[in-house]
Amino acid sequence: MTDPIQQVVTILKQAQRLAVLTGAGVSKESGVPTFRDALEGLWARYDPQQLATPDAFQRNPKLVWDWYEYRRQMVRMAEPNPGHYALAALESYFPEMVVITQNVDDLHEQAGSSDVIHLHGNIAQSKCFANCQGVPTLIDVAELDTDETPPKCPHCGAYVRPDVVWFGEILPEDALLRAYHISEQADVMLVIGTSGMVTPAANLPEVAQYNGAPVIEVNPDTSMITRIASVKLDGPSGVMLPRLLEALRNDD
Ligand code: BV8
Ligand code: ZN
């Protein structure tokens, strides 16, 4: 049985267009907890899926705002890990490579990935809940002279909210359309650190496979993607991706 890393190198060497789908697992070794991790302390008793919804925000704007401030702090302190850097370095091996991420941090960009599609938004940005000046009406909270939490939109007085996609909300149309197109056109799809539970993001590996692209998974556990993966690298992305990059380099 050949080593799975070698199997992946063989597949990647045939590919021109590499699509990558990442989830919270790729940021775990940077100290950003995944959605499945019980958040520590104050937030341990809350279920993220209950908090990451428009209803939760309308019912308890301060609680949800404070939860995002807590997560923003963790993201601000986080650094890209060896997995992010190895993924960015893979770009030099493919004429076309796009990272489609479910994550709301910007660690792929910080590590040097040059083409990243954010399906679920960006936790560092805020917007008017009513999008009163257009979709999205981004608000720079640092410029608002208030310590109200959540702050109010300076244009219309509605609450300001994080610029992320909540459960029950539609994804940014341009990002989703491009992600489907990239998945359809891909020669290979690398799926890293996602439980594959959340749709429509979780449908993308099937779209790639349906169009003839082998799916490669990097995850220390099984996920909803494992059953359609041609090869699985069983381990943390911070370990497996540098190993994969090394094997590609040695194969040059
Ligand atoms: C939509 C931003 C159309 C916010 C997120 C029933 C009722 C209502 C709705 C639904 C329903 N059934 C399905 C739905 C649709 C719903 C959905 O999928 N629900 C799930 C829970 C069943 N989806 C939606 O609502 C989406 N919108 O469908 O719009 C629509 C509109 C109106 C009405 C109907 C339909 C919107 C979904 C987006 C939600 N926002 N994030 C925020 O961050 O606060 S999702 C959030 O959760 C993440 O972004 C991510 O996408 C997801 C968590 O998944 P993962 O990233 O995979 O992370 P997870 O913790 O799950 O797994 C981590 C993995 O890493 C694990 O596999 C682990 O083994 C692995 N790992 C751990 N360590 C490592 C590692 N891997 C590598 N290395 C390591 N070191
Ligand atoms: Zn407004």
Side-chain angles (χ1 to χ4, degrees):
M1 179 70 165
T2 36
D3 156 37
I5 295 261
Q6 216 39 54
Q7 286 177 43
V8 174
V9 167
T10 309
I11 294 172
L12 291 183
K13 284 181 67 69
Q14 321 290 329
Q16 302 291 312
R17 294 185 299 276
L18 172 63
V20 185
L21 175 69
T22 66
V26 81
S27 296
K28 178 139 184 210
E29 291 152 275
S30 298
V32 180
T34 72
F35 249 64
R36 251 123 278 278
D37 290 335
L39 294 179
E40 297 83 53
L42 170 69
W43 300 104
R45 64 174 183 275
Y46 293 97
D47 168 7
Q49 275 161 17
Q50 300 308 317
L51 285 181
T53 70
D55 318 11
F57 182 73
Q58 288 179 306
R59 253 198 327 273
N60 198 330
K62 179 166 174 33
L63 177 75
V64 175
W65 179 266
D66 290 350
W67 182 53
Y68 278 91
E69 282 301 294
Y70 162 71
R71 288 178 57 201
R72 279 171 170 156
Q73 218 141 23
M74 283 197 288
V75 166
R76 265 196 292 271
M77 287 187 302
E79 305 260 313
N81 65 61
H84 291 108
Y85 287 115
L87 196 59
L90 278 185
E91 282 183 13
S92 62
Y93 287 86
F94 301 93
E96 290 171 50
M97 177 173 164
V98 180
V99 176
I100 303 164
T101 189
Q102 303 171 80
N103 300 338
V104 291
D105 61 52
D106 64 347
L107 294 174
H108 284 306
E109 292 89 340
Q110 283 186 45
S113 286
S114 58
D115 192 350
V116 182
I117 300 175
H118 278 267
L119 294 177
H120 295 157
N122 171 351
I123 199 167
Q125 283 183 180
S126 299
K127 65 184 179 184
C128 164
F129 191 87
N131 277 327
C132 61
Q133 313 294 312
V135 180
T137 299
L138 296 181
I139 305 277
D140 182 353
V141 175
E143 280 185 5
L144 300 179
D145 178 17
T146 173
D147 46 16
E148 258 188 310
T149 53
K152 297 269 181 30
C153 170
H155 309 291
C156 75
Y159 279 128
V160 173
R161 56 165 283 182
D163 184 26
V164 298
V165 180
W166 279 331
F167 289 101
E169 293 189 319
I170 53 169
L171 277 61
E173 196 179 344
D174 46 345
L176 186 57
L177 282 180
R178 185 163 181 245
Y180 269 111
H181 178 70
I182 294 291
S183 303
E184 281 160 10
Q185 301 293 316
D187 298 323
V188 195
M189 179 176 271
L190 195 50
V191 182
I192 310 167
T194 181
S195 58
M197 311 265 280
V198 173
T199 59
N203 301 335
L204 295 173
E206 275 157 37
V207 169
Q209 191 195 51
Y210 178 77
N211 288 280
V215 171
I216 298 162
E217 182 176 25
V218 181
N219 195 320
D221 296 327
T222 52
S223 74
M224 301 285 278
I225 308 294
T226 307
R227 62 186 167 72
I228 64 165
S230 307
V231 188
K232 183 157 187 295
L233 300 182
D234 278 312
S237 47
V239 170
M240 296 318 235
L241 291 175
R243 268 202 213 146
L244 177 56
L245 180 67
E246 192 56 30
L248 269 172
R249 280 188 179 137
N250 295 341
D251 202 78
D252 263 355

